[in-house]
Amino acid sequence: MSAGLVLRGLAVGHRDPSPLRRDRARVVLDGVDAVAARGELTVLLGANGAGKSTLLRTLAGLQPALAGTAALDGTDLLGLRAAQRARRVGVVLTDRPDAGLLTGRDVVELGRLPHTGPAGLLGPADTEAVDAAIDAVRAGPLAGRPLARLSDGERQRIMVARALAQRPSLLLLDEPSAFLDVSSRVALLGLLRRLASESDLAVLLSTHDLEPALRLADRAWLLDGAGGLRTGTPAELASAGAVGAAFDTDELAFDAASGTFRLRL
């Protein structure tokens, strides 16, 4: 297994904002040990409120970890300064961006800011990185169009290209398919798996699209809703009953053999 993201004993949650209680925290996940290898698409699965976004926000540097370590290719990810992290980690969030009059290419070029500095002047290497990112997501026909006129699926391709233009080692995505139709969701997962393999990226994606994620992902991190996390291939987690234990309801049951949910009769 190649280098990538390695978590050891990681605890994430929310610190009390009160000045008198800053030593207190609400722990969401504790003692997390997991690996997201380069060249693989790793999906982060769990019910609402299980801690997916909290974990991703911590890895993206948007909130501090409570304990433990996270290393990226052997470097302390949690200890990186913001500018250093921006060169190593690309992030795509759920929010629909308001890009004003910016074209698709303009948005992708923003991914080079961690390398160009405040002036934002692109050199030949930056232009090459932007072109490569647009080509990687097959968004050439979208580059000259205003972002506001793109469909949700087209817009997400541009946002992934912007993250790729950073030339990161790790790509973090928090529910990137939330506003997409079914076919676009599957296409995005397929795109991310291809990019992980072709660009030797560690890709960690949170999603509620359970069935396609289990079919297309190389590895899965499964939150059990009780502060724990299990890892393995989708087939391993399904056959062990972990998927059903996390997602079965009174009306639906996960069938490990077919990889689908079925109505309870």
Side-chain angles (χ1 to χ4, degrees), residues 166-190:
Q166 295 172 230
R167 293 282 172 92
S169 302
L170 170 66
L171 189 58
L172 301 174
L173 304 101
D174 189 10
E175 295 288 349
S177 60
F179 302 115
L180 306 185
D181 58 30
V182 174
S183 61
S184 296
R185 291 178 181 184
V186 175
L188 180 61
L189 283 170

Side-chain angles (χ1 to χ4, degrees), residues 149-225:
R149 296 185 181 178
L150 300 182
S151 70
D152 287 331
E154 292 170 336
R155 191 176 306 189
Q156 283 298 70
R157 281 183 174 265
I158 290 295
M159 299 312 295
V160 172
R162 178 195 57 76
L164 289 176
Q166 295 172 230
R167 293 282 172 92
S169 302
L170 170 66
L171 189 58
L172 301 174
L173 304 101
D174 189 10
E175 295 288 349
S177 60
F179 302 115
L180 306 185
D181 58 30
V182 174
S183 61
S184 296
R185 291 178 181 184
V186 175
L188 180 61
L189 283 170
L191 166 67
L192 292 170
R193 179 169 183 172
R194 175 175 63 80
L195 291 174
S197 176
E198 293 180 355
S199 302
D200 196 32
L201 280 170
V203 179
L204 178 60
L205 160 80
S206 75
T207 180
H208 286 296
D209 297 321
L210 187 60
E211 292 178 7
L214 292 172
R215 288 197 300 271
L216 294 173
D218 297 294
R219 305 280 296 181
W221 295 3
L222 177 62
L223 303 180
D224 61 14

